[in-house]
Amino acid sequence: MIPLCDLSQQYLSHKDEIDQAMISVAQHGQYILGPNVAALEREIADYCQCKYAVGVNSGTDALHLALMALGIGPGDEVITTPFTFVATTEAIGLVGATPVFVDINPLTFNIDPDLIEAAITSRTRAILPVHLYGRPCDMEAIVGTAACHGLEIVEDCAQAIGASYHGRKVGSFGTAGCLSFFPSKNLGCFGDGGMFVTNDPQLYERVEILRRHGGKVKYHHSTLGLNSRLDELQATILHVKLKYLDEWNAARRRAADRYDELLANDDGVKTPMRVASGHIDDTWSVYHQYTIRVSDRASLESDLVAAGIGYGIYYPVPLHLQEVHRSLGHREGAFPAAEAAARQCLSLPMFPELTPAQQQQVAECVHQAVAAAASGCAA
Ligand SMILES: *Cc1c(COP(=O)(O)O)cnc(C)c1O
């Protein structure tokens, strides 16, 4: 049995340190917006090469609060990818704005920067790129387009903490960056958690107030906010785990290298794009997922199930075809690259402790399934 992701190993290998940290929060008694959240905000801001950070309830709330703080609302349009988790467009919809989709680059699975220009209208306020699977988007192109049209950039870094592009960390390119500490993310806590990062002092002030019911002074409320604070307990766990994040991300990258080698000779498998070419060079992915493409995904899925190997389909239905966005009026065929990715993508087991022997087993299963599909017989 090889899981897609194994969260217990991280805890067990740092158990004493994490347990001690949790006990100390229980004992100091300051459970909401205490010293641990403040300290973690400083650490994460530094880590992400940003000036400010605000600890919030989830990655979804970080996105929601970023758009609220930017004053984006009804009548405004936000450009994003149809191939992402629903939280991305949920945040856009919750502020009353309209998501405008731009298709992905099939090689990177990320928004295709060359197609953004054509989607810009007089109502466009922001671009919301998602660094999917831990791979940075082409930020040079996106920053250039945004600057030309006076647009904000809100980066969805939920899957990409620690990833960098041209040597700079994701989250530091745009107006704001949004992180998730959902347990299975590269830096995960023991529940929900998220963070907003920015270099803009005014935006920082606004989000800091919005997360605490819209008031700077207790029981004095200047604006309609949310109850969206990162817990002290989660913050102390994250403080312990942050020290190991670079090590864990490096281990993910080594595991990705091994998969690349193991699967190199399988013609029916497209491994994640690696080769530097054009403007997709110099991206440092943190491999939140290792996602391959296969044409006959169903047969690979049943072989993986039979072999006891975990896998994920991120995501089976692109957002423009989701019921929640039916009112946008998109049809099948509107974003063909995203639709093809949704049919063909499959994420293999990926976590820092994944062993070469486990990967060998995964690769053998993939190899057999793909060979059987090619020869036309069910495995
Ligand atoms: C996980 C995720 C989110 C939301 O994060 P939560 O902390 O679960 O709310 C947003 N966008 C993407 C791309 C994600 O993967």
Side-chain angles (χ1 to χ4, degrees):
M1 180 67 212
I2 305 172
L4 172 65
C5 163
D6 183 348
L7 301 175
S8 61
Q9 288 197 50
Q10 278 189 359
Y11 170 61
L12 292 176
S13 52
H14 301 285
K15 184 176 182 308
D16 291 345
E17 213 181 342
I18 292 172
D19 288 354
Q20 268 316 309
M22 291 195 291
I23 289 167
S24 87
V25 170
Q27 285 173 340
H28 82 48
Q30 205 181 331
Y31 301 138
I32 298 287
L33 294 185
N36 288 288
V37 169
L40 187 74
E41 288 172 343
R42 197 57 268 140
E43 288 178 331
I44 295 281
D46 291 344
Y47 184 82
C48 293
Q49 300 169 337
C50 288
K51 288 204 183 91
Y52 310 100
V54 184
V56 298
N57 195 49
S58 66
T60 307
D61 275 9
L63 291 163
H64 187 187
L65 286 160
L67 298 174
M68 280 173 82
L70 286 166
I72 292 174
D76 294 334
E77 294 175 354
V78 178
I79 291 175
T80 194
T81 166
F83 195 58
T84 174
F85 182 55
V86 71
T88 312
T89 51
E90 204 169 42
I92 299 169
L94 283 173
V95 296
T98 304
V100 172
F101 295 116
V102 163
D103 211 353
I104 59 168
N105 175 328
L107 296 176
T108 64
F109 296 104
N110 281 331
I111 193 168
D112 186 338
D114 296 337
L115 303 179
I116 292 177
E117 190 87 35
I120 295 172
T121 73
S122 58
R123 293 165 178 260
T124 310
R125 289 284 316 279
I127 303 172
L128 207 171
V130 181
H131 308 296
L132 200 72
Y133 308 145
R135 171 197 281 277
C137 292
D138 181 354
M139 290 314 293
E140 190 177 323
I142 292 170
V143 167
T145 304
C148 270
H149 296 271
L151 305 176
E152 311 286 357
I153 298 173
V154 176
E155 294 175 68
D156 182 338
C157 309
Q159 302 187 2
I161 186 168
S164 62
Y165 173 89
H166 294 188
R168 226 169 97 195
K169 290 272 171 66
V170 298
S172 67
F173 289 89
T175 322
C178 301
L179 306 171
S180 167
F181 304 129
F182 184 80
S184 63
K185 300 291 160 83
N186 287 32
L187 178 65
C189 59
F190 293 176
D192 279 307
M195 205 165 276
F196 165 91
V197 294
T198 186
N199 284 310
D200 179 333
Q202 276 153 12
L203 202 59
Y204 160 72
E205 273 294 317
R206 258 175 269 153
V207 171
E208 207 286 311
I209 289 168
L210 285 170
R211 75 159 160 188
R212 49 166 101 210
H213 300 291
K216 197 173 174 62
V217 180
K218 214 172 184 180
Y219 307 125
H220 293 73
H221 308 279
S222 53
T223 181
L224 216 51
L226 299 179
N227 175 6
S228 184
R229 301 161 302 210
L230 181 66
D231 290 328
E232 280 287 294
L233 205 52
Q234 304 300 354
T236 198
I237 293 163
L238 290 163
H239 163 75
V240 173
K241 293 181 78 174
L242 180 59
K243 285 186 291 205
Y244 307 105
L245 179 60
D246 285 344
E247 213 175 279
W248 289 333
N249 281 344
R252 286 173 182 271
R253 287 176 56 88
R254 284 195 299 277
D257 288 343
R258 289 197 296 262
Y259 272 139
D260 282 356
E261 264 173 48
L262 288 164
L263 299 171
N265 298 321
D266 284 300
D267 285 340
V269 179
K270 277 207 192 92
T271 56
M273 147 91 198
R274 266 315 182 82
V275 187
S277 81
H279 46 216
I280 22 192
D281 63 345
D282 207 9
T283 61
W284 206 86
S285 171
V286 291
Y287 288 93
H288 175 60
Q289 301 294 345
Y290 184 90
T291 303
I292 60 171
R293 275 176 187 264
V294 288
S295 46
D296 186 358
R297 187 172 64 191
S299 74
L300 175 56
E301 286 186 71
S302 54
D303 285 11
L304 289 167
V305 170
I309 296 170
Y311 66 90
I313 307 294
Y314 309 111
Y315 297 91
V317 181
L319 295 186
H320 66 285
L321 299 178
Q322 294 280 355
E323 192 179 344
V324 61
H325 292 312
R326 194 159 43 189
S327 65
L328 298 174
H330 294 300
R331 294 276 166 91
E332 207 163 326
F335 302 101
E339 291 166 25
R343 281 192 302 272
Q344 299 174 343
C345 70
L346 184 142
S347 301
L348 297 175
M350 173 54 83
F351 49 94
E353 298 82 4
L354 188 67
T355 67
Q358 288 176 314
Q359 291 189 268
Q360 182 84 44
Q361 231 177 299
V362 173
E364 267 160 31
C365 184
V366 173
H367 180 71
Q368 278 170 19
V370 170
S375 70
C377 23

